[in-house]
């Protein structure tokens, strides 16, 4: 299975988020899956890429030209899929991945999450992006989604596109279910 991971590329974040990225990377290695990620050499991206690469599994980086030109490409990338923009990166990651996971992240991660979910909602694909709510990181977002749901701003149940995992066990179960 090819697992796309959206996450922070910042280094100055809590150690618990790096531990979660390493744990997911180790699970990908143990289950003999492939990682699709943003391919940068910092933050959680570097952490999960390094874990998968060093574990002997394939780490596919979808890397915008601006990242390559800025010398921010991870040495853990086994296969480099170049692209010209963040929009192309999202499209390529969606196309390459069987399921996606959102680790803690910022604006870029939110953009990726909502691009996958909204394109699922209108029928471009049936892929899910699982929100990994590491130690409640995504609670404010979940509160907002619940608010939107209560006010009928979201058709159907948003959990169909954005299932939430509060534990690592829930995450791996949801990944396996999504792969069908």
């Amino acid at each position: 299975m090819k697992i796309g991971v959206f996450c922070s590329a910042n280094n100055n974040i809590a150690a618990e988020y790096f531990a979660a990225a390493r744990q997911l990377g180790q699970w990908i290695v143990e289950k003999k899956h492939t990682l699709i990620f943003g391919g940068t050499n910092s933050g959680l991206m570097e952490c999960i890429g390094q874990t998968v690469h060093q574990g002997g599994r394939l780490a596919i980086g979808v890397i915008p030209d601006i990242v390559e030109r800025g010398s921010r490409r991870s040495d853990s990338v086994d296969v480099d899929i170049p692209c010209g923009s963040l929009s192309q990166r999202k499209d390529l990651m969606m196309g390459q991945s069987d399921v996606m996971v959102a680790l803690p992240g910022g604006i870029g991660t939110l953009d990726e999450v909502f691009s996958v979910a909204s394109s699922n909602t209108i029928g471009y694909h049936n892929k899910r992006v699982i929100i990994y709510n590491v130690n409640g990181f995504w609670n404010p977002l979940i509160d907002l989604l619940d608010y939107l749901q209560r006010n009928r701003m979201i058709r159907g149940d948003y959990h169909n596109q954005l299932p939430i995992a509060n534990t690592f066990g829930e995450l791996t179960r949801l990944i396996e279910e999504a792969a069908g």
Side-chain angles (χ1 to χ4, degrees), residues 58-111:
L58 197 60
I60 300 173
V62 183
I63 307 170
D65 298 337
I66 196 166
V67 170
E68 293 273 5
R69 286 193 307 272
S71 299
R72 296 182 313 220
R73 179 189 182 277
S74 172
D75 291 337
S76 299
V77 171
D78 297 304
V79 175
D80 184 337
I81 300 176
C83 59
S85 69
L86 292 176
S87 294
Q88 288 177 348
R89 177 199 253 177
K90 289 183 295 190
D91 290 342
L92 289 165
M93 287 183 73
M94 273 192 280
Q96 289 287 321
S97 301
D98 298 309
V99 63
M100 283 134 293
V101 173
L103 291 171
I107 293 170
T109 302
L110 287 170
D111 177 47

Side-chain angles (χ1 to χ4, degrees), residues 144-160:
L144 174 61
L145 290 167
D146 289 342
Y147 174 81
L148 294 171
Q149 186 88 60
R150 281 191 311 274
N151 285 280
R152 298 187 201 124
M153 296 296 165
I154 299 175
R155 276 181 256 118
D157 182 354
Y158 76 83
H159 294 92
N160 293 327

